[in-house]
């Protein structure tokens, strides 16, 4: 066990934890004022629910042993055998510290999905779907990529969770948008963000927390963690400028929501690549991510699904771009893996397979789980409750009393 | 007594309050309202999607004055004019009676 690594990863776990409340602010500001609390609640509730389930059996399913390259075993249910000894998947950290760092990722991933079904889902349905989704989608994905499952064996690399966190949550978001249906009045009444300053502050806190997410994914306080911190920051700054530029060209003005959305697009895009690419490719990945995700959010208007807060447009499109960009720009001098531009076309193929595998697997599993949830509880609130707003109808509270 | 319902640009509120105070108007209420007239609205853009916003924020001032103060008040309200569409409107009503709740005084003495 390494004390410096342990201290660093504990701090990173706290940073990643902060991303979920940050997401609550980010999403909460984007909905209409009658749904601000219910939208924040989705993130907070996900953090609470998933943390409990993670300790009970989620961690074991994702990271304990291996069954046929598909899922972990049940050796560590109720955190049995997860203690201070460095006998977990990594030898430099106490097993418990590795477990809690991974716990924060699981909670955030489930919270990310909520952008798709905001403003219309039943709270009980959200909880049931989130619990099922962690078991049947997140744990297998985490196992496949980080737990020694088939994607890892294939050679696909995902530094901090482009597939496990961003593509997976976006594929689930697309399934939710399809299964739950559009918000009442979409296209007829304007759906204007109720509090953009809150969204901007949430976006800034996400950026801050993301340093723990990406640099911490080195799982040690070393040069690779420092490298990932730099690539993360450069890509985020680039993404912000990219989105502002494309907005200026298309609509004549750069917007604050565009700037923070671009920063998020940069963060998502660099997530799988952060510990595999050099600095200038990282800057390009983020900058291009700003452009590409701008197109991604326009997609829903063309394809007709109501992904309310653009989980697919930003996390799905950005995550996919980042995973493929890792296959293009990876350099062995950074972390032992070369991409296409460094003479290793196979890497792009492995990334491509992991992208397709993630989207198809998670989308199908999510649709099945949503169907089950719909039969058991009903996914959607009544039209009256939706019109009144979920804050009053589901939680008996109002966000703003002025 | 006359009641004036004055719709103005939000940016003109402070000047209007000051001018009314200067000519001895000692009480008024105002509220934020949304509406449209000839100005119509504007467009807003969120993540590349454009919305036409047809109702704009305005300030509505309600004030009740003595009949003989009317011309002076209307003159003072010219400060709300910019000359562009969207300056607002003034509606003038006759008031039947007024009561100061604290003392029970009625009529112009209650103002």
């Amino acid at each position: 066990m390494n004390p410096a690594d342990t201290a660093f990863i504990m701090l990173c776990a706290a940073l990643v934890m902060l991303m979920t409340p940050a997401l609550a602010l980010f999403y909460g500001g984007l909905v209409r004022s009658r749904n601000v609390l219910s939208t924040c609640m989705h993130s907070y509730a996900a953090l609470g629910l998933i943390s409990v389930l993670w300790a009970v059996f989620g961690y074991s399913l994702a990271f304990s042993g291996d069954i046929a390259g598909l899922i972990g075993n049940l050796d560590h249910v109720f955190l049995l055998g997860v203690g201070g000894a460095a006998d977990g998947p990594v030898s430099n950290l106490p097993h418990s510290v590795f477990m809690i760092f991974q716990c924060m990722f699981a909670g955030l991933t489930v919270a990310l999905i909520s952008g798709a079904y905001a403003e219309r889902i039943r709270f009980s349905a959200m909880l049931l779907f989130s619990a099922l989704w962690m078991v049947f989608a997140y744990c297998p994905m985490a196992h496949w990529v980080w737990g020694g499952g088939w994607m890892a064996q294939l050679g696909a690399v995902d530094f901090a969770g482009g597939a496990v966190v961003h593509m997976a949550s976006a594929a689930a978001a697309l399934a939710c948008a399809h299964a739950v249906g559009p918000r009442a009045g979409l296209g007829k009444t304007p759906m204007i963000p109720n509090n953009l300053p809150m969204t901007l502050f949430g976006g800034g806190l996400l950026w801050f927390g993301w340093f723990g997410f990406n640099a911490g994914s080195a799982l040690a306080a070393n040069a690779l963690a420092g490298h990932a911190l730099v690539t993360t920051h450069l890509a985020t700054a680039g993404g912000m400028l990219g989105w502002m530029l494309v907005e200026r060209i298309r609509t004549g003005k750069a917007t604050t929501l565009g700037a923070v959305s671009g920063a998020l697009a940069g963060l998502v895009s660099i997530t799988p690549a952060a510990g595999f690419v050099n600095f200038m490719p990282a800057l390009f990945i983020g900058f291009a991510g700003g452009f590409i995700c701008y197109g991604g959010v326009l997609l829903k208007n063309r394809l007709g699904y109501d992904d309310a807060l653009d989980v697919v447009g930003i996390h799905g499109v950005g995550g996919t771009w980042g995973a493929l960009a890792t296959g293009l720009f990876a350099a062995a001098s950074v972390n032992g893996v070369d991409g296409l531009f460094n003479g290793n076309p196979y890497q792009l193929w492995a990334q491509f397979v992991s992208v397709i595998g993630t989207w198809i697997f998670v989308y199908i599993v999510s649709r099945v789980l949503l169907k089950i949830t719909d039969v058991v509880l009903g996914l959607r609130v009544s039209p009256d409750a939706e019109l009144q707003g979920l804050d009053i109808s589901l939680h008996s509270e109002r966000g703003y009393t002025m | 007594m006359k009641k004036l319902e004055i719709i103005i640009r939000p940016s003109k509120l402070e000047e209007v309050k000051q001018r009314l105070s200067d000519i001895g108007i000692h009480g008024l209420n105002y509220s934020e309202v949304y509406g449209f007239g000839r100005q119509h609205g504007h467009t807003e853009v969120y993540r590349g999607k454009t919305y036409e916003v047809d109702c704009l924020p305005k300030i509505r001032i309600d004030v009740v004055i003595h009949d003989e103060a009317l011309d002076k008040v209307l003159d003072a309200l010219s400060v709300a004019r910019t000359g562009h569409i969207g300056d607002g409107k003034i509606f003038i009503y006759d008031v039947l009676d007024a009561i100061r709740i604290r003392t029970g005084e009625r009529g112009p003495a209650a103002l």
Side-chain angles (χ1 to χ4, degrees), chain A residues 113-126:
Chain A
I113 304 169
S114 68
Y117 53 63
E119 305 198 276
R120 60 212 191 273
I121 199 169
R122 290 168 64 113
F123 186 54
S124 55
M126 176 269 165

Side-chain angles (χ1 to χ4, degrees), chain A residues 244-296:
Chain A
M244 284 160 63
L245 182 65
V246 67
E247 266 191 337
R248 176 73 178 77
I249 294 166
R250 276 189 49 105
T251 59
K253 285 174 185 164
T255 65
T256 56
L257 178 57
V260 72
S261 300
L264 194 60
L267 286 164
V268 171
S269 301
I270 200 60
T271 294
F276 291 105
V277 303
N278 272 308
F279 299 145
M280 290 305 115
L283 184 52
F284 174 77
I285 288 169
F287 184 76
F291 263 79
I292 293 168
C293 292
Y294 181 87

Side-chain angles (χ1 to χ4, degrees), chain A residues 96 110 115 162 170 261 337 348 369 397:
Chain A
S96 57
V110 170
S261 300
V337 177
L348 185 60
L369 299 178
E397 291 174 297

Side-chain angles (χ1 to χ4, degrees), chain A residues 26 191-192 261 294 309-310, chain B residues 44-49 51:
Chain A
F26 186 81
M191 307 226 171
I192 290 175
S261 300
Y294 181 87
L309 311 180
D310 298 309
Chain B
E44 294 180 15
V45 183
Y46 298 97
R47 280 188 175 156
K49 196 170 162 89
Y51 295 94

